C-alpha cells in the first residue's frame, strides 16, 4: 500500500517525514536507468519572462525557426468556426486532413499518419519498430530531439561525425550493423541548414538493407524543394523509407503542434496501432486543412525567406562572420569559440534579440539564426555591428 495520500490535501510542501514514497522507491528503483539518466529538453525561455528580467518592452525571437509572418490569414477564422465544438473529441482518424494530404502528394490516405508535430511521429515510430537490442543510427550535429526520444525509449543511439556540416552518408552506411533498425536523416539538416544531394542519397539508399527503416525528416522541405538536386523522398517511394513533414515552419502553425508522416501503408498501419487515438486535436486539424489551401501564404513565406537569407548572408560577410550555406529558414554561424558564443548570446539578449546557441546540438562554437521579417533581420545586424 502507498503512504497516506491525505498528505496531498493537507500540505503543499513535500516532506519525507509525511510521505516516504521516494525513499522507499529508491530502494526498489523508482524508474528505469534510461529514464533516470535522461536530461529533459530545454526550450528557450519565454519572451515575457526575459522582457521582465531585462527590463525591456519587446523581444525578437530568432531562435526557434518559427514563421515570423504569423499563421495564414484563414486559419484564425477556421478555428473560430469550430470552437463551439471543442467539447467533443477530435476525429480520431483525422480523415479530412489525411485525405487532403493524400490528394496533394498523390498517395493514399492509408499512406499518411498525423500527430502532434514531427516529434510525436518520431516517438511513435520508435515505439512501434524498436525492440530488444535494436539501435538507431544517425549523425552528430542534427536535431537534438531525436537523441532524447531514442534514449527515452530505452534504445541505443549510434552517431557518426558530420562532414562539412552535412550528413556523411558513406560513414553512416559503413556504420550499419546487425543491431541497426532505424536510420535518421534530417534533410535539410537542423541546425546546419545543409542538404543531402540527390546523387548522394541514391548511392546511399542502395547500401541500406531492406529491413532497416530510414526516417527522412523533411521539416524544412518547402524551403529546399525547388533546388533541382534536392532529393524529395516522395519521388522514390521505397518500402523502408518514412517521410516526415510539418506545419510548424513554412505554414506558421508551430503553436498548434501538427506534423505528418508518409510511408508504405503497412508501416503506417503498425504506427496507428500504438499512436494516441485523438491526436492531433480538432483545432490543429482544421488549421492544417486551411493552411494547405493557402498557396499565396506559402509563396509569401518563401519570398520573405529568400530575401532575408540574402540580406543576412551579405551582412554577415561584411562583418567577417562565418556562416554555413543554408537551404532552410535559418542560418548557422560559427564564432570559433564557446566563450564568444556565450558573450554574443548575452549581449544580444540585452538588446532584446535571442538566437540559438548550439552546444546542445554538439556544436558549441556555433549559433543558429532564424530568418525573420526584414525589420527583425535589420535589428539583428545592427546589434551585431555593436557587438562584433
Amino acid at each position: 500500500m502507498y503512504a497516506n495520500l491525505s498528505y496531498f490535501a493537507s500540505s503543499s510542501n513535500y516532506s519525507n517525514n509525511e510521505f516516504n514514497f521516494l525513499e522507499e522507491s529508491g530502494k526498489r528503483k523508482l524508474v528505469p536507468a534510461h529514464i533516470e539518466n535522461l536530461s529533459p529538453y530545454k526550450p528557450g525561455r519565454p519572451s515575457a519572462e526575459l522582457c521582465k528580467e531585462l527590463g525591456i518592452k519587446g523581444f525578437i525571437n530568432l531562435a526557434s525557426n518559427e514563421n515570423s509572418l504569423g499563421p495564414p490569414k484563414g486559419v484564425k477564422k477556421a478555428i473560430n468556426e469550430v470552437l463551439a465544438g471543442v467539447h467533443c473529441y477530435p476525429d480520431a482518424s483525422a480523415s479530412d486532413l489525411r485525405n487532403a494530404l493524400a490528394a496533394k502528394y498523390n498517395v493514399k490516405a492509408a499512406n499518411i499518419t498525423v500527430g502532434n508535430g514531427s516529434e510525436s511521429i518520431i516517438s511513435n515510430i520508435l515505439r512501434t519498430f524498436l525492440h530488444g537490442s535494436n539501435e538507431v543510427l544517425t549523425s552528430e550535429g542534427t536535431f537534438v530531439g531525436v537523441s532524447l526520444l531514442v534514449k527515452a525509449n530505452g534504445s541505443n543511439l549510434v552517431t557518426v561525425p558530420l562532414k562539412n556540416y552535412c550528413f556523411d552518408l558513406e560513414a553512416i552506411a559503413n556504420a550499419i550493423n546487425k543491431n541497426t533498425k532505424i536510420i535518421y536523416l534530417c534533410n535539410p539538416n537542423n541546425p546546419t541548414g545543409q542538404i543531402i544531394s540527390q546523387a548522394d542519397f541514391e548511392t546511399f539508399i542502395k547500401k541500406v538493407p531492406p529491413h532497416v527503416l530510414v526516417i527522412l525528416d523533411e521539416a524544412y522541405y518547402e524551403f529546399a524543394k525547388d533546388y533541382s538536386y534536392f532529393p524529395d523522398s516522395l519521388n522514390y517511394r521505397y518500402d523502408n523509407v518514412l517521410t516526415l513533414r510539418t506545419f510548424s515552419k513554412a505554414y506558421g502553425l508551430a503553436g498548434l503542434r501538427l506534423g505528418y508522416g508518409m510511408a508504405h501503408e503497412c508501416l503506417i498501419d503498425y504506427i496507428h496501432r500504438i499512436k494516441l487515438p485523438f491526436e492531433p486535436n480538432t483545432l490543429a486539424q482544421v488549421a492544417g486543412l486551411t493552411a494547405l489551401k493557402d498557396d499565396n501564404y506559402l509563396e509569401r513565406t518563401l519570398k520573405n525567406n529568400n530575401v532575408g537569407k540574402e540580406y543576412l548572408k551579405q551582412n554577415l560577410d561584411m562583418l567577417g562572420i562565418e556562416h554555413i550555406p543554408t537551404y532552410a529558414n535559418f542560418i548557422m554561424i560559427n564564432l570559433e569559440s564557446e566563450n564568444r558564443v556565450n558573450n554574443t548570446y548575452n549581449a544580444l539578449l540585452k538588446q532584446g534579440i535571442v538566437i540559438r546557441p548550439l552546444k546542445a546540438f554538439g556544436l558549441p562554437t556555433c549559433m543558429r539564426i532564424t530568418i525573420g521579417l526584414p525589420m527583425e533581420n535589420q535589428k539583428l545586424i545592427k546589434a551585431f555591428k555593436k557587438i562584433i
Side-chain angles (χ1 to χ4, degrees):
M1 291 293 291
Y2 291 117
N4 184 4
L5 296 183
S6 63
Y7 154 80
F8 287 104
S10 62
S11 173
S12 61
N13 297 315
Y14 292 106
S15 169
N16 288 333
N17 293 328
E18 296 178 353
F19 191 61
N20 62 5
F21 171 75
L22 293 178
E23 181 181 345
E24 289 299 316
S25 296
K27 300 173 183 177
R28 298 179 173 86
K29 198 66 177 176
L30 177 60
V31 296
H34 68 272
I35 299 297
E36 186 175 24
N37 297 327
L38 193 65
S39 297
Y41 177 74
K42 296 180 180 178
R45 292 168 64 192
S47 296
E49 180 182 313
L50 288 169
C51 286
K52 183 177 180 180
E53 178 181 315
L54 298 171
I56 56 179
K57 292 184 178 180
F59 227 93
I60 296 176
N61 183 358
L62 298 178
S64 304
N65 299 344
E66 297 158 343
N67 192 328
S68 294
L69 292 178
K73 186 176 180 180
V75 165
K76 183 177 180 180
K77 179 182 177 182
I79 287 177
N80 284 334
E81 290 175 353
V82 299
L83 278 176
V86 295
H87 61 292
C88 300
Y89 285 107
D91 173 8
S93 63
S95 54
D96 288 345
L97 180 56
R98 290 173 65 214
N99 285 330
L101 288 166
K104 179 178 178 66
Y105 293 115
N106 191 30
V107 297
K108 296 182 290 185
N111 296 120
I112 297 174
T113 184
V114 292
N116 296 334
S118 298
E119 295 95 330
S120 174
I121 299 173
I122 294 172
S123 178
N124 288 339
I125 291 170
L126 300 181
R127 289 170 55 211
T128 302
F129 298 107
L130 290 181
H131 56 88
S133 59
N134 289 165
E135 296 178 341
V136 176
L137 174 60
T138 189
S139 176
E140 299 171 3
T142 191
F143 176 47
V144 68
V146 170
S147 174
L148 294 175
L149 290 171
V150 172
K151 292 175 182 177
N153 194 69
S155 301
N156 189 34
L157 182 71
V158 178
T159 61
V160 301
L162 289 170
K163 184 178 181 180
N164 299 322
Y165 297 109
C166 189
F167 279 83
D168 187 344
L169 293 185
E170 183 177 1
I172 290 175
N174 291 336
I176 296 173
N177 61 48
K178 64 179 182 178
N179 293 323
T180 306
K181 184 61 176 288
I182 293 175
I183 297 173
Y184 173 84
L185 306 175
C186 188
N187 199 35
N189 184 38
N190 175 22
T192 67
Q194 284 283 280
I195 62 169
I196 297 164
S197 72
Q198 182 175 325
D200 287 345
F201 175 75
E202 291 176 355
T203 299
F204 166 77
I205 199 67
K206 294 174 183 176
K207 301 176 182 178
V208 178
H211 67 276
V212 174
L213 300 176
V214 177
I215 297 176
L216 262 174
D217 187 345
E218 295 177 345
Y220 301 91
Y221 160 78
E222 288 82 5
F223 302 100
K225 64 183 178 62
D226 292 331
Y227 291 92
S228 60
Y229 45 90
F230 174 76
D232 180 345
S233 58
L234 289 186
N235 290 335
Y236 297 96
R237 310 283 173 103
Y238 289 110
D239 289 349
N240 62 332
V241 172
L242 300 101
T243 299
L244 301 184
R245 291 180 185 168
T246 184
F247 286 89
S248 295
K249 312 303 180 184
Y251 287 103
L253 300 180
L256 287 171
R257 310 309 303 123
L258 181 62
Y260 57 102
M262 295 175 282
H264 191 289
E265 59 191 87
C266 175
L267 301 182
I268 299 297
D269 173 59
Y270 283 125
I271 292 170
H272 282 171
R273 297 182 191 190
I274 61 92
K275 78 181 287 289
L276 295 174
F278 296 107
E279 171 194 8
N281 66 69
T282 299
L283 304 186
Q285 290 186 37
V286 72
L289 193 59
T290 303
L292 270 183
K293 302 173 184 176
D294 196 340
D295 293 334
N296 289 332
Y297 174 85
L298 184 58
E299 184 178 338
R300 285 175 54 219
T301 292
L302 298 182
K303 181 179 179 180
N304 179 73
N305 195 70
N306 290 334
V307 171
K309 183 195 302 185
E310 288 305 312
Y311 172 82
L312 289 175
K313 285 167 58 178
Q314 291 174 15
N315 281 275
L316 291 170
D317 284 339
M318 289 175 57
L319 291 167
I321 300 174
E322 180 187 2
H323 57 89
I324 312 307
T326 182
Y327 296 83
N329 69 336
F330 57 84
I331 293 178
M332 189 179 83
I333 60 175
N334 187 354
L335 297 183
E336 300 178 352
S337 79
E338 186 175 348
N339 185 57
R340 194 180 182 200
V341 165
N342 294 334
N343 290 339
T344 300
Y345 175 78
N346 290 323
L348 286 174
L349 274 186
K350 294 175 182 177
Q351 298 191 53
I353 301 171
V354 59
I355 63 177
R356 183 69 182 266
L358 298 176
K359 183 176 181 178
F361 289 76
L363 297 162
T365 68
C366 298
M367 304 184 80
R368 189 188 65 197
I369 302 169
T370 303
I371 300 169
L373 298 174
M375 174 272 295
E376 295 173 326
N377 300 329
Q378 290 161 15
K379 285 191 174 181
L380 174 68
I381 293 300
K382 185 178 179 180
F384 265 138
K385 288 178 180 178
K386 294 179 180 179
I387 296 167
I388 300 300

